[in-house]
Amino acid sequence: MASTDRKFEQDGSGQDDEYATAKWRELFTFTTKAHKFSVIIGLFFSILSGVIVPAFALFLGKIFDSFTSFGTGSLSGSSLLQDISRYAIYLVGLGGASWLLSGSYFAYWLIFGELQARSGRDKLFCGILHKEMQWFDTRDAGISALIIRLQAQIRELQLATSQPLGSATQYTTTVLAALGLAFYTSWSLTLVTLSTVPFSVFILGFFSRKSQPAIVQQTEVLTKVTKHANNAISAIDTVKCFNGQDHEMWQFASMIKDAAKHYMVQARINAFQIGFVRFILLGIFVQGFWYGNHLVQTGQKSSGEVLTAFWACLMATQTVEQLLPQFIVLEKGRTAAAALRAVLADLVGGRRVARMIGRTMPTFCDGDICFNDVSFSYPSGPKQFALKTANLFFPAGEITFVIGRSGSGKSTIANLIIGFYPPAFGSVTIDGHSTQTLDNNWLRSNVTLVQQQSVLFNESIFTNIAFGRNNFDRVTLEEIKWGLETTALQTTVTELPQGLDTIVGVGGSKLSGGQKQQITIARARLRDTPILILDEATSALDHTSRSIVMDRIREWRHGKTTVVITHDISQIGDRDYTYILDQGNIVQEGYRQTVQEDSDGAFVGLLHPRVGFPRLDTDKEMGIQIPRSRPPSIIPSFPGRKGLMNKPSIPDNLSLEVPIRRTQTRSRSRTLARLSVVNLSPFMAHMNQLSNVRLSILPVQKYPRPIEPSSPTSSYLWRDPEPPVTPTTSTMHIPLETYRALNRASIAYPPEDRKSSQPKWTRAIFCHRPRKSELPADQKTMASLAEILGTVWPRLLWPQRVLLICGFTAAFIHATAAPVFSWVFSKLLVTFYQPNGAHMAPMWSLSIIGIAVCDGTASYFQHYLLEKCGQAWIDNVRIEAFKRILDQPKEWFDEDKNSIASLTECLDRNAEEMRNLLGRFAGLVFVAVTIMIIGIAWSLIICWKLTLVGLSAAPILYGISRSFESVSGKWEGMSNDAGEAIGAVFTETFENIRTVRALTLEDYFHKKFFKATKYALKVGIRRAAYSGFFFGISDAGVIFAIVPQINSSRDTATRLLRLASLPYQKSHEYSGNIRIGSIQSIKLTDLNFFYPSRPVYPVLRNLNLAIPMKSSMAIVGSSGSGKSTIASLLLALYPPNPDALRRFSIIPPAISIGGLDIKDLHVPTLRSLVAIVPQSPTVFPGTISQNITYGLPESSLLLSPGNIRRAAQKAGIHTFISSFPQGYNTLIGDGGTGISGGQMQRLGIARALVRQPKVLIMDEPTSNLDPEGALQIREVVKGLVTEEGVTVVVITHNYDMMYACGWVVCLHDGGVGEKGFIWDLMRREGGILRGLLGVKECVSE
């Protein structure tokens, strides 16, 4: 039996001990032979650049010798000037060499970092691309969070192997060269001066090892943060509809605080190391100058030799100090490299599932598929078998159906045939060849899988269909039209603005569920493989489209192997062979005409399901009192018929293609069922004319109102004396051009500002009042350092502000220590040629000990406090950005620039880099500026002429530095953009890995990824060239080594601050503040709407609809007709399109609830009363109980276990949950137990029911359910209306669900085409509903 490898518990990132023992060689994990040139050249220039500083010390000693000789009178003034001039020329030469060498090493190390990043990305991409599906299923954080974390780790590796690694090489060379010079000049003085170094190295190494576990722990928490943010943003519809923003924000904030704790451990260690080095650096002057003075006084060494040796030692220790700020970057890079190596090792080797990888490639595929005693369990639930000793045979050239309850193992059959997983026991063969011995490309080139969840890529419709061919770049327009004809999609595509060139958006977000399914079937038609598997491939289509598509599929697949996995038994013909599954077992099989004769068989049980509801616990047992108001029946009884919630008898006056008794043979002949409809009086409200307003561009519209109650049941009745609206009705429509003109006019009237309704406690913790220092949300250019740091103070609490002041105070003390030390140092130098110098040297040496203690202490507090404030700053910005992201209207997420991957990466990596601006760079800049001011002032006092001469080059250096900053900033931004593009390809590929593999698109996405990385490398090389040139100039004059890192952090900070400065509570969701306790009526009046991302493609046009309360209504229509759009508008996910006339109340509001305009209502309150079951429910990582109660406040009585269990029982998922050992505490979602599409849908229903809503909107609630489950949901709908008075709106294509609702509204051309009771609409000649359901002409009784 195959076993599942779960070695890498941290999503393949390796084990903690591997992190903690990461070696420095890990930085070269992805180094190849092709990188040797840049490494060798970089090393060469780094080594030569490292020699510059010791050479400077050598010439400085010579210069000091000349000054000493002049001071003692042994050298004349002219000779001194001559010597100094000669040495000055040497120093200019050193400056030129420094320019060349520093610029060259900087450029080549940047190139090496880019090469490392590309190599790492390529290896990881290729490794993951060819990894088995088990690997994807066992990632605890989910593949999306893992990909983002890998991108962040590659970035950390790239940063470490760029300038910091080059600087480390340079500094190491400097240390060795300086020590060599020192030992050569005076070995005894060098030993005395560096006598404390061994002890210091031990201390620094000890604390360095302590930081590794903290880095590992921070990385693990940040992975969870990324996972959480990714899930919340990707499920933004669910988050908003269930008022889950606060829940998501608090979880995000708690994890951010946890990550901060681990980082502060690193900050303390790093600050201690820096402070300790500063103390040692100055402390060595005590013994060094004492012994050096002794050597001079005894004549063993000259003062120049002593100064040369001492200065060389000083350069060596100062170099170590300069390396420490880079050390944390190198540490993070080393840890990231170890994590990436562990992932790579898992991808290349590791404990894989034992399988025989074959290269068998038969010349022909006949299409016989055989399952021989196959058992299988998914890696996420190894103890729960999805198939149990299954034996199936799918003969070549025939259509075979697989049906069964949700979770019975149907989709597992498809996964095994296409080779996504190997069977645990038994074998799956195609034409006698085991799928485990077949070449994967051959297998997937001969097997096409159309999955339950239609996956489209962010390309055009043309390209998505063309992906069906291996040579998709050669597909012609005629071939695409061929595929469109199969799916009846020609008309829809023609109506789109760009036609086949329309970009479908990420995951096909710009299309409806039915349209996505049609495109995937068209793609399969173009592929036309010998074997086709349809897994609920038409569940989102209306009846007519489904019938047309299935008929065309039968015609197309004649003589080819086709496996149809479905819940829709109406698709099965009498001569179609069918397998019925239940809990992983084959419980019945045979031709339909045979199996349906067995009245006790499983097929008949699915055909005529009977619902036996689990006994619902009493309110007392459930632990919560649920109101049981039982209003009178919403439909009065009529003689000779049953209530609305029961199907009427079937008369003989209609010929209908319905899913009740559909029989079908190979020739597709059908036995038509007969329906009988009784005459009913109209059942809608009177329509009142609009107030006396008559405009030439607008018709006189009518909108409904409830009649006065005249009986116990009349308060629920609506009357309509006019015939139901049809496409030929006399109702006038606003011309599209006029409507758009009104929209443009209404822009001049923005919604009124209002005060924030945010609770005080939330504002105190997570909010701040807008300040001028905040960056504009639409800022595209990189913000200046001053602008970014200007956001620090407003975002800190007062205790943190005090720490910030203390941090800069410590930085000021650290800065003043340098000039004070210079003054003391000058006194020490005088002792070399003063008569009483030997007596004064100890005093000045001891003075340096005091300076060393103060400087070391100040350095520690400077770095630690600024890091602490920097962490608090980015924590606040992160939380604020996440909060504002969740606060944005739905249309904001539809914009391409706000993709899930880019937003999540910004919250993760960008924040980490942004912290450096305050934690590392602000203190360094402050110290440099302070030293410069003090030094210039002091110099002017001592000798203003010499000072002005020294400052004469300052303007040139300033210009060079500003140019360096500008050039570096530009290319850093371009490099980050290129990195985001790579991340987008990474995410798109592996989030849709099943579709990528099923379509054998690995090569396409690998080429796409290769192009993205190639472009990023090109940008990186150009960045290295330009930045290296200016870096060399600036480094020759003044230390600007941190400028590139500052610019990188500036760019990432600008991106994150843009998110943190997004408008808050300014969208349409906050335009109202009226809180309602119940919903009395819902009316849509002359509603017009188009999605902001598609302004030229209106979805709803002049739609008029009244939803009666405490009743059920079915909204039907063809795919893309706007059904789900209505649900989104009722939940205020989008605002109705603006209308100038409604601004002045000339016409009624587009959407009114209880007589109030929806824009005036408090949206969270509205969403607490209206619940939705989305077409594709979201499963969040967490327990089943947490998923069901998602969004409910902690104080809610609805959180009781009894209420949760009641909702699960109604949704039909309680038995399934109880089968788990941990019951409702079972973990599901990413990293948890996998559940089927049907169980996900039941979970979504339970999530809506647990809230006890007043209005329940169900969008295709039974599309993934078996007939028994669908019947149970229909019974639930009946019970909600009749027993609890809930208003239920069902968006459906399902015939039985329409009958359960009774009242049906048909959408057509963006408006209401017809409405009425289903039996009335079924009698209407040429009616829309009859067209959707395939009704034929009426026949006389």
Side-chain angles (χ1 to χ4, degrees):
M1 177 179 176
S3 61
T4 304
D5 177 16
R6 305 238 13 197
K7 173 184 176 182
F8 295 94
E9 293 298 330
Q10 301 301 328
D11 305 315
S13 297
Q15 296 174 333
D16 291 356
D17 55 347
E18 294 185 52
Y19 284 164
T21 58
K23 307 298 182 181
W24 288 112
R25 65 173 179 268
E26 305 286 2
L27 292 173
F28 302 95
T29 298
F30 300 103
T31 303
T32 65
K33 292 182 179 180
H35 304 164
K36 287 185 177 180
F37 177 78
S38 61
V39 174
I40 293 173
I41 299 298
L43 285 171
F44 176 74
F45 285 119
S46 296
I47 292 171
L48 291 182
S49 179
V51 177
I52 295 295
V53 174
F56 174 75
L58 179 63
F59 287 113
L60 187 63
K62 300 294 185 182
I63 293 173
F64 186 74
D65 255 343
S66 298
F67 276 108
T68 303
S69 299
F70 176 76
T72 57
S74 60
L75 189 65
S76 65
S78 58
S79 298
L80 175 65
L81 182 60
Q82 184 179 2
D83 289 348
I84 296 301
S85 299
R86 184 175 69 254
Y87 292 134
I89 294 174
Y90 295 156
L91 292 178
V92 171
L94 282 178
S98 178
W99 173 13
L100 175 64
L101 297 175
S102 296
S104 298
Y105 99 73
F106 181 84
Y108 277 100
W109 281 111
L110 281 186
I111 293 173
F112 177 67
E114 293 287 347
L115 292 172
Q116 283 282 86
R118 186 184 186 187
S119 176
R121 287 166 176 152
D122 285 346
K123 289 183 178 180
L124 289 170
F125 187 88
C126 293
I128 297 176
L129 193 63
H130 297 96
K131 196 64 178 173
E132 298 165 334
M133 289 306 303
Q134 291 95 322
W135 189 87
F136 291 88
D137 292 345
T138 54
R139 299 309 96 195
D140 290 343
I143 190 63
S144 298
L146 174 61
I147 293 303
I148 294 172
R149 173 48 42 190
L150 290 178
Q151 291 294 318
Q153 289 172 335
I154 288 174
R155 175 65 175 175
E156 291 174 352
L157 174 62
Q158 179 184 355
L159 289 176
T161 54
S162 297
Q163 181 196 346
L165 187 57
S167 298
T169 305
Q170 179 195 21
Y171 295 155
T172 301
T173 303
T174 300
V175 170
L176 295 178
L179 292 178
L181 177 61
F183 276 106
Y184 174 78
T185 305
S186 178
W187 65 268
S188 58
L189 176 60
T190 303
L191 290 177
V192 172
T193 303
L194 301 179
S195 58
T196 57
V197 168
F199 173 74
S200 302
V201 170
F202 172 79
I203 294 296
L204 294 177
F206 174 79
F207 281 99
S208 176
R209 287 191 296 272
K210 290 292 185 180
S211 66
Q212 278 290 316
I215 296 176
V216 174
Q217 292 167 347
Q218 184 200 14
T219 301
E220 293 173 356
V221 177
L222 287 178
T223 300
K224 296 178 182 178
V225 171
T226 302
K227 171 184 175 181
H228 179 82
N230 183 79
N231 288 326
I233 297 173
S234 61
I236 190 62
D237 287 14
T238 302
V239 172
K240 286 180 173 290
C241 290
F242 289 86
N243 291 329
Q245 293 96 323
D246 287 344
H247 169 77
E248 298 294 339
M249 186 183 71
W250 281 111
Q251 276 200 323
F252 183 83
S254 63
M255 287 186 285
I256 286 295
K257 299 297 183 185
D258 191 21
K261 294 178 183 177
H262 299 304
Y263 181 78
M264 290 316 301
V265 173
Q266 305 169 46
R268 279 194 297 270
I269 294 174
N270 192 45
F272 174 82
Q273 289 175 323
I274 293 175
F276 182 75
V277 168
R278 286 299 300 176
F279 170 76
I280 294 298
L281 178 65
L282 298 182
I284 64 175
F285 277 88
V286 178
Q287 68 266 27
F289 263 88
W290 171 80
Y291 187 69
N293 189 270
H294 168 74
L295 293 177
V296 172
Q297 295 298 328
T298 58
Q300 299 180 46
K301 294 291 182 182
S302 68
S303 58
E305 290 175 326
V306 170
L307 183 63
T308 299
F310 186 78
W311 195 264
C313 293
L314 182 63
M315 289 298 101
T317 53
Q318 280 186 336
T319 300
V320 174
E321 181 190 19
Q322 292 174 0
L323 180 61
L324 285 178
Q326 307 285 356
F327 193 73
I328 189 66
V329 179
L330 294 171
E331 284 283 3
K332 281 183 171 291
R334 180 172 64 158
T335 305
L340 294 171
R341 180 185 57 79
V343 174
L344 189 61
D346 185 34
L347 296 174
V348 175
R351 293 169 52 196
R352 287 170 167 252
V353 174
R355 61 175 299 182
M356 189 164 46
I357 306 297
R359 285 292 180 266
T360 304
M361 300 179 65
T363 56
F364 179 77
C365 179
D366 189 30
D368 279 333
I369 306 172
C370 185
F371 279 61
N372 300 306
D373 295 327
V374 173
S375 295
F376 175 77
S377 61
Y378 285 97
S380 58
K383 296 182 179 180
Q384 295 180 325
F385 280 88
L387 283 181
K388 305 172 184 176
T389 320
N391 290 279
L392 304 97
F393 177 66
F394 302 98
E398 295 188 19
I399 293 181
T400 308
F401 285 80
V402 179
I403 63 176
R405 293 183 173 86
S406 300
S408 59
K410 303 183 299 297
S411 296
T412 302
I413 292 175
N415 290 332
L416 294 176
I417 293 175
I418 202 168
F420 283 161
Y421 303 92
F425 295 105
S427 64
V428 179
T429 63
I430 296 179
D431 294 341
H433 302 283
S434 172
T435 55
Q436 294 178 261
T437 64
L438 289 171
D439 179 79
N440 279 336
N441 285 334
W442 183 93
L443 177 63
R444 290 162 191 167
S445 294
N446 287 277
V447 179
T448 297
L449 170 62
V450 181
Q451 300 174 86
Q452 193 169 358
Q453 300 295 332
S454 303
V455 174
L456 299 181
F457 300 100
N458 192 20
E459 307 281 354
S460 65
I461 294 177
F462 184 99
T463 303
N464 271 282
I465 297 176
F467 278 152
R469 287 275 180 87
N470 290 332
N471 56 344
F472 57 86
D473 52 340
R474 298 181 182 177
V475 172
T476 64
L477 181 61
E478 292 301 320
E479 291 175 309
I480 296 296
K481 291 181 178 178
W482 187 30
L484 293 176
E485 290 175 1
T486 302
T487 57
L489 198 59
Q490 309 97 310
T491 304
T492 301
V493 172
T494 303
E495 293 175 352
L496 294 173
Q498 282 91 28
L500 285 169
D501 294 327
T502 302
I503 302 298
V504 302
V506 178
S509 58
K510 296 181 180 179
L511 300 176
S512 69
Q515 291 169 342
K516 289 193 289 185
Q517 284 192 337
Q518 287 173 300
I519 290 177
T520 56
I521 295 174
R523 184 165 63 197
R525 177 67 180 93
L526 195 65
R527 195 169 182 81
D528 197 19
T529 53
I531 299 173
L532 173 67
I533 308 170
L534 301 174
D535 187 358
E536 295 287 359
T538 60
S539 60
L541 298 179
D542 59 84
H543 180 87
T544 301
S545 298
R546 187 186 307 130
S547 298
I548 293 173
V549 170
M550 284 305 300
D551 286 344
R552 293 179 180 177
I553 288 176
R554 284 181 178 273
E555 182 178 354
W556 154 40
R557 298 299 298 176
H558 180 70
K560 298 178 182 179
T561 307
T562 307
V563 179
V564 181
I565 299 169
T566 184
H567 288 128
D568 186 3
I569 299 179
S570 68
Q571 297 179 8
I572 307 175
D574 282 347
R575 302 281 303 274
D576 289 331
Y577 201 87
T578 306
Y579 287 100
I580 300 94
L581 272 68
D582 186 31
Q583 296 183 356
N585 297 302
I586 310 297
V587 294
Q588 192 177 14
E589 61 178 290
Y591 293 99
R592 171 169 178 165
Q593 62 184 8
T594 302
V595 295
Q596 68 183 3
E597 294 176 357
D598 183 0
S599 59
D600 297 326
F603 183 87
V604 174
L606 292 173
L607 183 63
H608 303 294
R610 300 176 181 177
V611 175
F613 279 97
R615 183 185 67 85
L616 296 182
D617 299 327
T618 64
D619 292 342
K620 184 175 181 180
E621 291 171 337
M622 300 298 287
I624 183 172
Q625 295 295 327
I626 301 178
R628 290 289 187 182
S629 57
R630 295 178 177 265
S633 174
I634 63 172
I635 301 296
S637 298
F638 291 92
R641 57 172 287 194
K642 295 182 180 180
L644 171 65
M645 296 306 171
N646 298 298
K647 288 187 179 180
S649 58
I650 300 180
D652 301 323
N653 65 329
L654 289 181
S655 177
L656 173 65
E657 295 179 10
V658 295
I660 300 177
R661 290 289 187 197
R662 176 181 168 190
T663 59
Q664 188 167 8
T665 65
R666 294 285 181 185
S667 61
R668 290 166 295 284
S669 63
R670 295 178 176 82
T671 302
L672 301 177
R674 306 275 183 181
L675 293 184
S676 163
V677 179
V678 295
N679 292 322
L680 293 178
S681 57
F683 210 59
M684 292 296 289
H686 288 287
M687 307 290 286
N688 285 348
Q689 292 186 349
L690 184 65
S691 329
N692 309 332
V693 179
R694 292 180 180 271
L695 302 175
S696 60
I697 61 172
L698 291 174
V700 178
Q701 299 289 347
K702 300 178 180 180
Y703 53 94
R705 68 179 183 184
I707 63 173
E708 295 297 328
S710 57
S711 69
T713 61
S714 61
S715 60
Y716 305 103
L717 304 184
W718 296 79
R719 301 189 181 278
D720 189 353
E722 300 179 353
V725 180
T726 67
T728 58
T729 184
S730 58
T731 301
M732 297 176 63
H733 295 278
I734 302 175
L736 184 58
E737 293 76 9
T738 305
Y739 167 66
R740 291 175 182 162
L742 289 174
N743 286 338
R744 288 192 294 270
S746 66
I747 295 176
Y749 307 97
E752 298 177 1
D753 294 334
R754 67 180 196 84
K755 294 183 179 179
S756 169
S757 60
Q758 189 179 19
K760 254 182 199 178
W761 58 270
T762 307
R763 291 201 302 270
I765 298 177
F766 293 116
C767 297
H768 67 283
R769 288 172 289 185
R771 290 174 170 83
K772 294 182 180 179
S773 61
E774 294 300 322
L775 300 181
D778 58 350
Q779 177 163 344
K780 297 180 180 179
T781 59
M782 188 187 300
S784 68
L785 187 61
E787 288 178 313
I788 296 172
L789 293 179
T791 66
V792 174
W793 185 265
R795 292 190 178 276
L796 298 181
L797 301 175
W798 268 110
Q800 296 162 345
R801 292 176 180 178
V802 172
L803 293 180
L804 182 65
I805 294 172
C806 293
F808 278 105
T809 301
F812 179 79
I813 296 173
H814 171 55
T816 56
V820 172
F821 168 76
S822 300
W823 181 74
V824 175
F825 183 58
S826 67
K827 297 299 183 180
L828 274 173
L829 293 178
V830 173
T831 63
F832 283 113
Y833 53 85
Q834 278 187 344
N836 60 342
H839 300 287
M840 299 298 296
M843 182 187 70
W844 296 117
S845 297
L846 291 175
S847 300
I848 289 180
I849 293 181
I851 298 174
V853 172
C854 294
D855 193 23
T857 305
S859 295
Y860 170 80
F861 283 108
Q862 170 199 332
H863 288 86
Y864 176 70
L865 294 179
L866 291 185
E867 287 280 17
K868 187 175 182 66
C869 293
Q871 184 65 48
W873 174 45
I874 68 157
D875 286 349
N876 183 283
V877 172
R878 255 180 175 156
I879 295 170
E880 186 74 16
F882 186 67
K883 180 185 70 174
R884 290 181 181 246
I885 288 173
L886 297 183
D887 185 71
Q888 298 310 295
K890 181 62 172 63
E891 61 194 62
W892 184 83
F893 295 90
D894 296 337
E895 299 177 17
D896 292 337
K897 66 178 181 180
N898 300 321
S899 65
I900 297 171
S902 63
L903 293 175
T904 309
E905 183 179 5
C906 191
L907 292 170
D908 181 12
R909 177 176 68 83
N910 290 13
E912 290 299 297
E913 293 189 22
M914 176 180 171
R915 176 183 50 231
N916 293 333
L917 289 176
L918 180 59
R920 289 178 53 199
F921 306 137
L924 295 177
V925 172
F926 178 80
V927 169
V929 171
T930 303
I931 292 176
M932 183 178 64
I933 293 174
I934 297 175
I936 292 174
W938 199 338
S939 299
L940 287 172
I941 295 173
I942 295 174
C943 182
W944 62 272
K945 293 180 181 180
L946 181 60
T947 303
L948 292 180
V949 171
L951 293 177
S952 60
I956 299 176
L957 293 175
Y958 177 78
I960 293 173
S961 301
R962 292 294 295 177
S963 300
F964 179 33
E965 180 183 3
S966 176
V967 170
S968 177
K970 172 188 174 182
W971 288 102
E972 284 292 343
M974 294 179 64
S975 182
N976 285 333
D977 289 338
E980 283 191 2
I982 293 172
V985 179
F986 232 119
T987 302
E988 184 179 27
T989 303
F990 296 117
E991 282 190 346
N992 306 312
I993 187 62
R994 291 176 184 271
T995 303
V996 169
R997 289 187 174 173
L999 298 175
T1000 61
L1001 291 174
E1002 291 93 339
D1003 287 343
Y1004 168 78
F1005 279 100
H1006 189 267
K1007 290 178 181 177
K1008 186 175 182 180
F1009 183 77
F1010 177 81
K1011 290 179 181 179
T1013 55
K1014 182 179 180 180
Y1015 174 75
L1017 179 61
K1018 180 180 177 181
V1019 171
I1021 292 175
R1022 296 179 67 183
R1023 174 174 71 105
Y1026 285 104
S1027 299
F1029 175 81
F1030 286 97
F1031 177 82
I1033 299 176
S1034 60
D1035 192 51
V1038 67
I1039 298 177
F1040 274 94
I1042 62 173
V1043 169
Q1045 297 178 46
I1046 290 178
N1047 283 326
S1048 177
S1049 298
R1050 278 177 55 209
D1051 183 69
T1052 54
T1054 301
R1055 297 167 189 254
L1056 183 57
L1057 287 172
R1058 179 186 73 85
L1059 298 179
S1061 301
L1062 290 169
Y1064 183 65
Q1065 296 189 349
K1066 299 294 184 182
S1067 69
H1068 70 279
E1069 297 181 9
Y1070 297 93
S1071 61
N1073 52 16
I1074 299 177
R1075 301 172 186 263
I1076 56 177
S1078 61
I1079 297 178
Q1080 302 301 326
S1081 63
I1082 301 176
K1083 299 178 184 178
L1084 284 66
T1085 307
D1086 293 332
L1087 175 61
N1088 293 280
F1089 180 76
F1090 56 77
Y1091 286 98
S1093 58
R1094 292 165 283 166
V1096 296
Y1097 186 56
V1099 180
L1100 301 177
R1101 288 180 285 190
N1102 288 2
L1103 183 140
N1104 291 277
L1105 177 64
I1107 300 177
M1109 295 294 98
K1110 300 181 181 179
S1111 66
S1112 55
M1113 169 189 287
I1115 299 179
V1116 303
S1118 59
S1119 299
S1121 59
K1123 305 182 296 297
S1124 297
T1125 301
I1126 293 177
S1128 297
L1129 293 172
L1130 291 177
L1131 283 156
L1133 289 177
Y1134 295 93
N1137 293 148
D1139 195 313
L1141 297 179
R1142 286 196 169 98
R1143 179 71 181 177
F1144 300 103
S1145 301
I1146 297 177
I1147 57 178
I1151 303 177
S1152 63
I1153 297 179
L1156 301 172
D1157 193 337
I1158 192 172
K1159 70 180 183 182
D1160 296 328
L1161 299 181
H1162 184 247
V1163 171
T1165 301
L1166 172 66
R1167 291 172 179 166
S1168 68
L1169 300 173
V1170 181
I1172 185 172
V1173 180
Q1175 192 168 357
S1176 299
T1178 299
V1179 175
F1180 294 95
T1183 66
I1184 295 176
S1185 175
Q1186 291 169 344
N1187 269 274
I1188 293 177
T1189 60
Y1190 179 80
L1192 289 175
E1194 293 183 0
S1195 58
S1196 175
L1197 295 177
L1198 301 177
L1199 288 174
S1200 67
N1203 188 47
I1204 297 172
R1205 192 160 56 250
R1206 181 193 299 275
Q1209 288 170 331
K1210 287 184 177 181
I1213 197 175
H1214 174 70
T1215 303
F1216 170 74
I1217 297 172
S1218 300
S1219 66
F1220 292 109
Q1222 295 178 326
Y1224 284 82
N1225 293 322
T1226 302
L1227 290 174
I1228 57 176
D1230 290 336
T1233 302
I1235 59 178
S1236 68
Q1239 304 299 0
M1240 288 175 61
Q1241 204 153 35
R1242 286 189 171 96
L1243 187 68
I1245 295 171
R1247 181 183 292 156
L1249 295 178
V1250 79
R1251 304 169 72 86
Q1252 300 183 13
K1254 302 297 181 183
V1255 176
L1256 177 62
I1257 302 173
M1258 309 179 83
D1259 191 353
E1260 296 289 357
T1262 60
S1263 60
N1264 291 326
L1265 297 183
D1266 56 81
E1268 180 178 328
L1271 176 59
Q1272 182 171 350
I1273 298 306
R1274 293 196 296 272
E1275 294 295 330
V1276 168
V1277 169
K1278 297 177 188 179
L1280 290 173
V1281 174
T1282 59
E1283 298 179 13
E1284 300 182 24
V1286 177
T1287 302
V1288 181
V1289 179
V1290 182
I1291 298 168
T1292 184
H1293 292 127
N1294 185 269
Y1295 175 76
D1296 294 324
M1297 183 59 79
M1298 297 179 201
Y1299 261 103
C1301 294
W1303 189 261
V1304 178
V1305 174
C1306 300
L1307 301 185
H1308 184 75
D1309 288 339
V1312 176
E1314 63 182 17
K1315 56 186 176 182
F1317 285 113
I1318 188 169
W1319 39 84
D1320 288 338
L1321 299 181
M1322 295 299 293
R1323 300 181 60 194
R1324 188 167 297 158
E1325 290 285 348
I1328 296 174
L1329 182 62
R1330 288 177 56 169
L1332 290 172
L1333 296 178
V1335 175
K1336 296 187 176 181
E1337 296 182 359
C1338 293
V1339 294
S1340 57
E1341 296 183 5

